[in-house]
Amino acid sequence: MYTNLVCKFCLYIWWSVSGDFVNSYMNMYLNSDEVQKLLGLDMELYYVTNGKINDFALNFVVPVPPKVDALHFTWESLSGRPLPYTINVDISNPLALGTPKLNISDTGMIPTITQIFSVSLPCSGVVVAEVNIVLTVNITSPNSNVTSLTFRRKKICRKIESLSNTHVLVDNISYNSNSVNIFYIAVGCAGFLIATLAFCVVVSYVKGKKDRRDPSDNQAHMTYVTNAARNPNSTSSYGSFRRMPSYSLIDERSKDLQERIAELTIQRCRVRLNSVILEGTFGRVYLGSYSEENGAEEEVLVKTVTDHASQIQISLLLQEGMFMYSLNHKNILTILGVSIEDQTAPFLLYPYHSYKNLKVFLQKCKLNSEGVAHTLTTQEVVDMALQIIQAMQYLHKKHLWHKDLAARNCVVDDKLKIKVTDNALSRDLFPSDYHCLGDNENRPIKWMAIESLLQKGFSPCSDVWSFGVLLWELTTLAQQPYVEIDPFEMAAYLKDGYRLAQPINCPDELFAVMAYCWAMNPEERPTFTQLQVCLQEFYAQLIRYV
């Protein structure tokens, strides 16, 4: 089930391969070092193998991380003699990226032995931008036919503030120097020092913000939650739901948890529990209804705990249930109301539109004695992933990290519309997904990024890692990730370079997106915006043939 990323393998998409364009006269591919830099995998990616063109691979736009300043391609002629070629490189933003430089001539001959050529990508440091790069290679076969290969990249360039008054090597920016070599050395050294200092400052700043946002800072609120469960007089009652507030989330986050609960408090007598949807040792999710003052009833999901749940479990239910309070997005399931009354378990109410837990839904899609409940196509999987990406983009714009993104914390309706939810009760409802490493804290070990495992640090980059595992869940119909690995061995397993294997029938480009999410260095992982671009392009390719 698992793959050793030290072993090389070639990436082919057989259904999208064209016929022989030069009668098996050449190979062109990215070697394992190049794929490791771009996608975090040790493998070879073939664009042309024995003359067969991999159209799908050519159409995939590969993001180039900020730290990667050159592209490398490997090619060879198989015809017994060199093949004529011409190369052209176009960029979309000359201000952000200087003129790319080839280490070979624009016109020449493809050698009969394996050769690696490179294209330098010198970011100017003047602006922040994503630069589209198009590399076109025209190859003439022995029978004089010309074949054009187009490679697309998206280079991420960052701004270096101290370069605003410095002469930079860009076509439309002049520079004065008596020695080009001295200039490059000086700018390189200065850039390295500045980048190092900037990186340290950013890490310190992000860590500070992260620490301030970490839920552990809210432990003081647990005392209130416990008291609130005992004393109903500390809250007020409303006859109907309080809908989404108009004030900003920043203002909300500065409020006391007590005020949040008070604003959402509803009367228990208006809530009716109908049937249990999910049940754990200490928690339950009901399908119920809520009666408005005008007599109208609204179907709701109700999260609650059993009578023998501890006060800590009650506190966690309320804290985690409040995580998405006041958020308003089509792909996020936000809380509608809270009911806390004396001597009874709290109720958390959510809107219901035939929602099913995504993990449970995926598991029911598998073959069983009654047949297949629903067969997911690759197109549907990608569409569901894009919906999750939109929800995560919204969360990150609000400076919120989910920290537990997984199929169990999403819901899906009959039309495959996805909503991301909080993780309230997830530890109890899906106990096999959480493990304790001797620190009295159940964590989703096998969904967590390497830095979260080792340092308990969370960021948008760690959410991206979890999204990669969630995408793997979608393609495997909610199989357990790393099922054979002991939770205590996960950190060492990941540090050694091992990752989840490519699922059966999973397209190579979809697996490449997953692998890119699991880069060891958080800075080399894509943002959700970049993931959206990649998957939208893949989705467009899928629907083109439907």
Side-chain angles (χ1 to χ4, degrees), residues 340-361:
I340 300 178
E341 294 188 1
D342 194 22
Q343 304 301 322
T344 61
F347 284 3
L348 272 59
L349 276 65
Y350 301 80
Y352 175 76
H353 298 287
S354 301
Y355 294 138
K356 297 174 281 290
N357 181 273
L358 179 58
K359 184 182 180 81
V360 175
F361 168 78

Side-chain angles (χ1 to χ4, degrees), residues 225-436:
V225 175
T226 302
N227 293 335
R230 299 170 178 167
N231 182 13
N233 296 327
S234 63
T235 60
S236 59
S237 296
Y238 292 88
S240 59
F241 292 132
R242 288 291 302 273
R243 301 300 177 183
M244 293 303 108
S246 59
Y247 37 77
S248 69
L249 181 64
I250 295 177
D251 292 334
E252 277 304 295
R253 288 169 57 195
S254 66
K255 281 178 171 257
D256 189 274
L257 184 59
Q258 176 180 358
E259 296 179 30
R260 298 189 186 189
I261 293 177
E263 290 187 350
L264 289 173
T265 297
I266 60 173
Q267 293 175 323
R268 178 65 59 91
C269 62
R270 296 185 179 274
V271 182
R272 185 176 66 191
L273 303 180
N274 297 328
S275 58
V276 177
I277 298 177
L278 292 172
E279 183 172 11
T281 304
F282 302 103
R284 294 193 187 104
V285 180
Y286 288 89
L287 174 61
S289 61
Y290 178 79
S291 300
E292 303 280 358
E293 289 183 346
N294 58 9
E297 283 197 353
E298 179 178 352
E299 281 193 309
V300 292
L301 290 171
V302 181
K303 288 185 179 182
T304 186
V305 294
T306 59
D307 293 338
H308 57 280
S310 68
Q311 292 298 330
I312 292 179
Q313 289 163 336
I314 293 175
S315 298
L316 284 175
L317 171 67
L318 292 170
Q319 288 184 37
E320 292 172 347
M322 287 294 175
F323 169 63
M324 293 183 178
Y325 168 60
S326 83
L327 300 184
N328 186 13
H329 189 274
K330 64 179 181 178
N331 296 117
I332 290 180
L333 186 69
T334 190
I335 191 170
L336 288 178
V338 177
S339 173
I340 300 178
E341 294 188 1
D342 194 22
Q343 304 301 322
T344 61
F347 284 3
L348 272 59
L349 276 65
Y350 301 80
Y352 175 76
H353 298 287
S354 301
Y355 294 138
K356 297 174 281 290
N357 181 273
L358 179 58
K359 184 182 180 81
V360 175
F361 168 78
L362 292 172
Q363 291 172 335
K364 289 183 177 179
C365 287
K366 296 178 181 178
L367 286 171
N368 53 50
S369 59
E370 300 177 357
V372 180
H374 183 90
T375 302
L376 289 179
T377 65
T378 301
Q379 182 176 333
E380 289 173 330
V381 167
V382 175
D383 180 64
M384 295 163 79
L386 285 169
Q387 295 180 59
I388 295 169
I389 286 175
Q390 292 181 40
M392 296 307 297
Q393 286 177 309
Y394 177 82
L395 280 180
H396 287 181
K397 285 181 181 177
K398 299 294 185 180
H399 303 290
L400 293 171
W401 325 143
H402 193 285
K403 301 183 182 180
D404 195 2
L405 182 61
R408 62 184 169 273
N409 291 323
C410 298
V411 294
V412 59
D413 65 12
D414 295 333
K415 296 181 180 179
L416 299 184
K417 299 303 179 184
I418 301 286
K419 288 183 181 290
V420 175
T421 72
D422 55 58
N423 64 334
L425 295 183
S426 291
R427 294 178 185 84
D428 183 56
L429 299 176
F430 301 95
S432 61
D433 291 356
Y434 294 84
H435 301 89
C436 178

